Each structure stands twice: as structure tokens, then as C-alpha cells.
């Protein structure tokens, strides 16, 4: 009788261990496949709108700098237009990973009318002189920094916070580069979107490592 009870207890113990192991394996599978919602953050509608808007705003920078470089062959535009393409790529990767539909229109064309209006004006003003071109470059980066900060403040998604933070870092470096070009020709830039204090902090700081 005692022997039989001992066998039953051992069998029950093995069953409990096996059940625990199965549950443990299932939890691990959820983590590996991203089914665990705590592990795989879901984008909110606001996050999606932020990605789609910033894709076009980075395109505004890329398209404008490509145009201005073709006109004036200035090093800043030649280099920074490539950086803007990498910014677009970073945003595009997130859209693809999250199965979000998007379109990238041809150069100089934008779905957002405000961005289209800005490009149209930059197209006209940038052809006047290299000095105007530098002012346009600084204005775009000024706008980028502020818009990215607004989206950073509005999200709790850690992936977006990292991406937008790196893009903003790049925009600060670009702003410094364009302002340096402006000052080299004896002119000045007045911030259009940043506060004067925030602008002064950026300009007085060294170039950053953003990767």
C-alpha cells in the first residue's frame, strides 16, 4: 500500500514538472515571435501619423538639398542630402516592419500641402543666391528639430523615441553646418521655429555623434 502511494506521488510530481516546462516553453515562444505585447510595442495612431509625416519632412530636406546642390555645388548640400536619405530609410524601415502603407512621391512632390508649399517657395528662393540657399538649409533643420521634439514629447514608444532622437541629433549637426556656412559669408541666421535660447545652446555646442 505504501509502495503504491509512493508511485502515485512520484507520478503526480512528474506531471506538475512537465506542465510547468510546457508553460515555460510557450512563454519563451511568445517572446521570440513577438506575441508578447509587453515585448513588442504596438504603434498608436499618433505614432503612425508621426512616422508618415516625418518621412515626408525628411524628403523635403533631401529633395531641396539635391536641388540646391545641383544649382550651387556647395559641399554642405552634397553631403547632407545623403544623410537625409538615410533618415528617410530609418523611418521607412519602421513603416515596413509594422506593415504600414506609405508612398514616396517623385522629387519635389508631397502629399502634405504645407510641405509642398515650403518646397515650392524654397525652389524659388534658393535660385536667387548661395546665401539664400544656406538660409533655406538652416530653416529646414530648424523646423525638423522642433517637429521631432513635438513627436518625442507625444510618444511613449521606445523605438520611436530612439529613432526620432537620432534624427534630431543629425538635424542639430546639419543646422550647425549650415549656420557655419552662413557666417562664413558674413551673414547671420535668425531661428524661425526654435526659441532663441534653444538655438543658442545648439549653435554653441560641438558636433555630436548620433549613431
Amino acid at each position: 500500500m505504501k509502495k503504491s502511494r509512493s508511485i502515485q506521488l512520484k507520478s503526480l510530481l512528474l506531471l506538475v514538472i512537465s506542465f510547468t516546462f510546457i508553460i515555460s516553453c510557450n512563454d519563451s515562444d511568445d517572446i521570440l515571435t513577438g506575441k508578447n505585447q509587453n515585448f513588442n510595442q504596438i504603434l498608436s495612431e499618433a505614432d503612425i501619423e508621426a512616422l508618415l509625416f516625418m518621412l515626408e519632412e525628411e524628403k523635403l530636406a533631401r529633395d531641396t538639398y539635391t536641388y540646391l546642390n545641383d544649382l550651387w555645388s556647395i559641399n554642405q548640400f552634397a553631403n547632407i542630402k545623403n544623410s537625409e536619405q538615410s533618415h528617410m530609410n530609418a523611418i521607412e524601415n519602421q513603416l515596413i516592419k509594422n506593415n504600414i502603407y506609405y508612398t514616396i512621391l517623385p522629387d519635389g512632390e508631397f502629399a502634405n500641402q504645407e510641405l509642398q508649399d515650403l518646397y515650392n517657395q524654397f525652389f524659388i528662393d534658393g535660385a536667387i543666391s548661395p546665401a539664400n540657399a544656406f538660409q533655406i538649409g538652416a530653416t529646414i533643420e530648424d523646423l525638423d528639430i522642433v517637429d521631432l521634439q513635438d513627436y518625442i514629447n507625444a510618444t511613449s514608444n521606445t523605438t520611436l523615441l530612439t529613432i526620432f532622437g537620432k534624427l534630431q541629433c543629425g538635424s542639430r549637426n546639419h543646422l550647425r553646418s549650415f549656420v557655419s556656412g552662413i557666417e562664413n559669408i558674413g551673414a547671420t541666421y535668425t531661428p524661425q521655429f526654435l526659441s532663441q535660447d534653444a538655438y543658442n545652446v545648439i549653435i554653441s555646442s560641438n558636433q555630436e555623434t548620433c549613431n
Side-chain angles (χ1 to χ4, degrees):
M1 189 72 173
K2 290 183 179 180
K3 185 176 182 181
S4 175
R5 184 176 296 177
S6 175
I7 292 172
Q8 287 178 349
L9 287 174
K10 288 181 180 178
S11 298
L12 180 61
L13 181 59
L14 285 172
L15 182 62
V16 170
I17 292 172
S18 298
F19 183 71
T20 304
F21 178 75
I22 290 169
I23 296 231
S24 175
C25 288
N26 285 341
D27 287 345
S28 297
D29 287 344
D30 283 348
I31 292 173
L32 290 172
T33 58
K35 292 179 182 177
N36 188 322
Q37 290 187 359
N38 292 327
F39 178 78
N40 187 28
Q41 290 182 308
I42 298 174
L43 293 177
S44 67
E45 286 298 319
D47 290 336
I48 293 171
E49 290 177 9
L51 284 168
L52 292 172
F53 180 80
M54 286 311 305
L55 179 66
E56 276 218 313
E57 188 161 290
E58 298 296 345
K59 180 180 182 295
L60 171 67
R62 185 202 66 181
D63 292 0
T64 302
Y65 300 161
T66 299
Y67 167 68
L68 295 175
N69 182 61
D70 290 343
L71 279 177
W72 304 111
S73 298
I74 296 173
N75 284 338
Q76 279 95 327
F77 295 117
N79 294 330
I80 296 177
K81 70 181 177 66
N82 294 328
S83 180
E84 300 300 345
Q85 180 62 62
S86 71
H87 288 189
M88 290 178 64
N89 293 344
I91 297 172
E92 190 176 8
N93 286 341
Q94 285 306 305
L95 294 171
I96 292 170
K97 286 179 181 179
N98 288 277
N99 297 314
I100 299 166
Y101 175 78
Y102 68 97
T103 56
I104 298 177
L105 297 176
D107 287 6
E109 296 181 22
F110 302 87
N112 182 285
Q113 190 57 50
E114 290 184 8
L115 296 180
Q116 184 67 64
D117 292 343
L118 283 173
Y119 179 83
N120 294 344
Q121 193 61 55
F122 293 154
F123 188 90
I124 295 168
D125 295 344
I128 295 173
S129 68
N132 270 28
F134 275 125
Q135 291 284 341
I136 289 169
T139 300
I140 290 175
E141 301 304 334
D142 184 351
L143 174 63
D144 255 10
I145 293 167
V146 170
D147 283 346
L148 284 165
Q149 189 61 51
D150 287 343
Y151 288 132
I152 287 170
N153 293 341
T155 189
S156 59
N157 185 290
T158 54
T159 299
L160 262 60
L161 287 170
T162 298
I163 292 171
F164 287 165
K166 289 182 178 180
L167 298 186
Q168 193 183 54
C169 176
S171 289
R172 290 193 296 268
N173 283 341
H174 298 166
L175 178 61
R176 295 182 186 104
S177 181
F178 286 130
V179 169
S180 177
I182 291 170
E183 292 175 346
N184 285 340
I185 59 176
T188 58
Y189 175 73
T190 301
Q192 307 297 305
F193 305 97
L194 283 161
S195 69
Q196 188 65 52
D197 287 344
Y199 170 79
N200 290 342
V201 169
I202 293 170
I203 297 304
S204 63
S205 301
N206 296 325
Q207 290 286 102
E208 301 169 66
T209 300
C210 303
N211 293 327

